[in-house]
Amino acid sequence: MWGDGVANAEVDHSNHFVDDPFTLGVASGDPLPDSVVLWTRLAPNPLESDGGMPDFNVPVQWKIIAKHHHDGGWDDHRDHDDDHDWSDHHDQNDGHWEHNVDDRDKWDSNRELNFNSENEGKRDSGRNTGRGFHLVQSGVAFARPEHAHSVHIEVEDLEPNTEYYYQFRFGRYRSPLGRTKTAPTADSEIDELEFAFVSCQNYPYGYYTAHEHLAEEELDVAFHLGDYIYEGDSKGSLDRGHEPSREIRSLSDYRIRYAQYKSDSNLQEAHAAFPWIVTWDDHEVANNYADEIDEGTPPEEFLERRAAAYQAYWEHQPIRRSRMPDGPDMPLYRRFTFGQLAEFDVLDTRQYRDDQTASSEAANDPERTILGDEQEQWLLDGFDDTASTWNILANQVPVAATDENADPTEIDFGGGDKWDGYRADRQTLLDAMAQNDDLNPVVITGDVHHNYVYNLKADFSDSDSETVGTEYVGTSISSFGDASGLTQYGPSAGEPWQRLSNADRGYVRCTLTPEQLQTDYRVVSTVEEPTATIDTLASFVTEAGTPGAQLVTERPEEEPIEIVDIRPNQEGDLNNEYVTLQNEGDSEIDMSNFVLSFEGGRSQNYTFGDFSLDASETVTIRNGDGEDTQTTLYTGFDGAVLNNSNPDTVVIANDKGVVLDDDSYQAH
């Protein structure tokens, strides 16, 4: 069966690898009503340039099974009533194979399916394999060195809206077991779709505790919105330093970096739990690149790097062969339909964009594009042709405007790599959302390592203009490590269209029905320890026919502390930098462990000690050193804090991390 075997690799007496080649787990993705992609990569030594594999093709077996109704139909419902284990049974006499698949709560991807050569190449054998499961298809694929011995099986002729299990075998080794699910047919009526989205998983900055909890969710599909890997040379402080220990540029480097990330057991469990639809942002190639532009690098040289990065991306994701890159070009934007309920437009805002600009004037240039003409027209045509109740954009960078000047009398949306820097494309998108009352447009976004909820306005220069869509921005899996956890409910000083701002790590879980979309902001207690707890910080609902987000969980208590004065940097005299707070209530407030942040909750945070503020009284927090009194406290910081950096917003939060007030020092 194995031909000449693997003579150039380390083998045992059975001509099989001594080391397990399935070190990177399994994944599935790009679900269609009749097809799904199954992925694995053989890499017994994943941090070697060739993964420890020989320089020739090797065969990999695969099998896929599904639950079978007694009446001969398909059952796509998860069975929570049985209490079977995962033990395998193999009848050596007739070649039949059977297995027990437990309910989802007890699922273990390390269990196995039996493989038998008599079944190879068969499809839908019609045989009940025992305990209610059915062999659907099996076969052999070749893992090729030019694709880093990755395998992309495009299984076809599957049943729609059906749950399947799959596994690979190479020699005597079996991969982890994976679970996947096909999409419903475009004309079918479905009551509910469960999905989640994640982004930004910088390996050295944190453990993938969020992925551990994500794998336990009961989802139909998950989305990765970009920054799957980071290209830099970070070491971090958690003994998770990047490999190779340099900024990566070659195909070999990118392959090793992906192998390092995908060796994480929590990420593997999340990939094995449900199908994924993935897209990229910038760090899969280089920070803030734009089309063929990477600052300081000649375009012809950068395109060679981009070709290597795109090749490695395809090799390590469950993406169809039709998306395979051609040199530095890879057709990644695509569309998925889940019955009449939802259509997902998966965007690529990197490959076709104009270069970033810091100039607000340049950002207004009508010729600037973030999507490119072809992708933009594809998106608009999709809006015109859609028959789905909900239309969701899987997007990399925030669409909502970010006012760089928090002075309410001044508006400056700046530039940068968000849609702020591409005003014409954004306005085209917003206009298209406004033109169709039945579109129910929602944008899901990553990139900024922060949770946000935004109402998308028809005209962001007029905060009273119509709300035409909703944007849900998810925080990072691990990038930037643990954050302050500060949470603001409702508008901010600069963005009246904001409904939530939170600095935690985690993911967003979504439940979609014909009537509403509910988003649950799931946050972990830490990414700087291997294990963490998880909680739902807040839940929002967007109702069909009514754009915008409504908080549906209870809003936490907010003490009446307000910022009444700010004095920024005064010619180097730290004590002359200060913020004055006032108790606007009618009773004393214990401010112990309250947080005053001089940089919008992101950094330069002063934490109050044992301190109370009487009703109507004020306290001034001065920078630098001094003797604390009941009316004046000192930060102890040795550098300027109100120094015109971005953000230029001061926030005061209570001991639960809930923001009570924010203000810009540009307004004082």
Side-chain angles (χ1 to χ4, degrees), residues 293-430:
I293 299 171
D294 178 41
E295 187 173 351
T297 305
E300 61 275 11
E301 181 180 328
F302 175 67
L303 287 176
E304 292 181 6
R305 180 182 183 182
R306 196 175 92 171
Y310 284 8
Q311 173 73 18
Y313 183 84
W314 182 85
E315 291 170 349
H316 290 86
Q317 302 292 1
I319 302 176
R320 295 182 181 275
R321 290 186 294 273
S322 61
R323 305 291 169 181
M324 189 183 300
D326 179 11
D329 302 313
M330 182 172 169
L332 191 61
Y333 65 86
R334 56 209 194 279
R335 180 171 290 128
F336 296 89
T337 300
F338 288 80
Q340 297 178 29
L341 183 62
E343 189 163 271
F344 290 86
D345 294 312
V346 182
L347 302 184
D348 174 1
T349 62
R350 282 290 160 192
Q351 192 171 183
Y352 313 106
R353 68 161 61 195
D354 288 313
D355 196 11
Q356 287 82 224
T357 178
S359 165
S360 185
E361 181 179 356
N364 274 319
D365 183 347
E367 298 301 317
R368 286 178 53 76
T369 181
I370 192 171
L371 295 176
D373 293 343
E374 183 177 320
Q375 182 178 193
E376 181 180 75
Q377 191 59 53
W378 166 85
L379 178 61
L380 297 177
D381 290 344
F383 282 179
D384 289 339
D385 298 339
T386 183
S388 298
T389 301
W390 295 90
N391 290 271
I392 302 175
L393 276 62
N395 165 64
Q396 291 75 49
V397 294
V399 171
T402 304
D403 191 349
E404 299 291 344
N405 189 335
D407 183 345
T409 65
E410 299 287 342
I411 295 176
D412 180 8
F413 295 143
D417 72 340
K418 296 182 285 187
W419 286 70
D420 276 333
Y422 305 86
R423 311 280 176 78
D425 272 15
R426 178 167 66 192
Q427 198 57 53
T428 297
L429 175 62
L430 296 173

Side-chain angles (χ1 to χ4, degrees), residues 28-294:
S28 67
D30 281 11
L32 302 177
D34 61 350
S35 176
V36 70
V37 179
L38 308 181
W39 174 93
T40 193
R41 178 191 165 199
L42 304 184
N45 299 304
L47 298 186
E48 293 184 2
S49 59
D50 59 4
M53 290 295 293
D55 190 24
F56 50 80
N57 303 343
V58 296
V60 180
Q61 294 174 276
W62 58 272
K63 282 193 174 183
I64 186 168
I65 66 169
K67 189 173 288 189
H68 194 63
H69 263 321
H70 294 297
D71 62 4
W74 292 91
D75 180 6
D76 65 334
H77 301 290
R78 301 179 178 102
D79 187 351
H80 291 280
D81 296 324
D82 59 27
D83 192 29
H84 305 161
D85 62 26
W86 284 81
S87 57
D88 296 333
H89 305 281
H90 190 186
D91 187 339
Q92 298 286 351
N93 294 322
D94 62 7
H96 292 185
W97 58 286
E98 55 183 291
H99 41 271
N100 300 328
V101 181
D102 200 357
D103 64 76
R104 194 175 186 94
D105 289 338
K106 298 182 178 64
W107 177 61
D108 180 358
S109 66
N110 292 317
R111 300 294 184 174
E112 299 179 351
L113 305 182
N114 278 326
F115 286 79
N116 184 281
S117 60
E118 294 184 24
N119 295 327
E120 299 312 321
K122 295 183 178 179
R123 172 178 294 168
D124 194 9
S125 66
R127 197 170 54 245
N128 190 319
T129 64
R131 307 297 284 270
F133 286 87
H134 181 85
L135 172 62
V136 177
Q137 293 186 39
S138 60
V140 177
F142 282 92
R144 305 177 184 277
E146 61 267 30
H147 299 150
H149 289 96
S150 63
V151 177
H152 297 70
I153 308 295
E154 296 183 22
V155 188
E156 299 179 341
D157 299 326
L158 298 176
E159 295 292 324
N161 202 28
T162 300
E163 189 174 75
Y164 293 92
Y165 299 84
Y166 63 95
Q167 194 170 44
F168 299 90
R169 193 186 83 173
F170 177 66
R172 62 189 177 92
Y173 291 102
R174 301 167 192 260
S175 74
L177 188 68
R179 175 187 282 108
T180 192
K181 191 175 182 181
T182 50
T185 57
D187 60 351
S188 62
E189 296 183 5
I190 58 173
D191 296 331
E192 186 175 276
L193 182 73
E194 298 270 3
F195 67 96
F197 60 93
V198 305
S199 64
C200 305
Q201 51 192 40
N202 197 324
Y203 191 86
Y205 276 85
Y207 296 97
Y208 292 168
T209 54
H211 276 308
E212 179 181 15
H213 291 284
L214 178 66
E216 297 171 353
E217 303 279 6
E218 295 193 12
L219 303 178
D220 297 298
V221 64
F223 291 81
H224 201 295
L225 302 179
D227 293 346
Y228 192 97
I229 65 166
Y230 281 70
E231 80 289 0
D233 59 358
S234 299
K235 283 300 180 185
S237 59
L238 303 174
D239 195 27
R240 288 168 65 88
H242 269 146
E243 296 292 345
S245 58
R246 59 180 178 271
E247 183 166 345
I248 54 176
R249 299 180 181 277
S250 68
L251 178 57
S252 175
D253 285 351
Y254 281 105
R255 284 171 170 171
I256 293 171
R257 186 64 55 86
Y258 274 103
Q260 180 185 30
Y261 277 56
K262 294 185 81 72
S263 66
D264 185 278
S265 60
N266 291 335
L267 178 59
Q268 289 187 19
E269 288 290 333
H271 270 302
F274 25 72
W276 286 72
I277 296 172
V278 300
T279 187
W280 53 36
D281 195 14
D282 54 337
H283 287 289
E284 286 85 354
V285 183
N287 183 40
N288 286 339
Y289 86 94
D291 193 0
E292 63 182 25
I293 299 171
D294 178 41

Side-chain angles (χ1 to χ4, degrees), residues 450 481-487 502-505 595 597 600-603 605 657:
H450 202 93
D482 286 345
S484 68
L486 299 188
T487 304
N502 164 259
D504 274 306
R505 303 288 165 248
V595 175
S597 175
R602 301 181 186 180
S603 62
N605 298 338

Side-chain angles (χ1 to χ4, degrees), residues 562-592:
E562 293 188 8
I563 300 169
V564 295
D565 195 14
I566 302 174
R567 185 171 182 177
N569 190 8
Q570 299 295 310
E571 299 178 354
D573 185 351
L574 296 186
N575 284 174
N576 275 336
E577 288 187 310
Y578 64 77
V579 174
T580 300
L581 308 173
Q582 185 168 21
N583 178 354
E584 298 286 347
D586 55 10
S587 61
E588 181 184 69
I589 296 175
D590 181 0
M591 295 183 64
S592 302

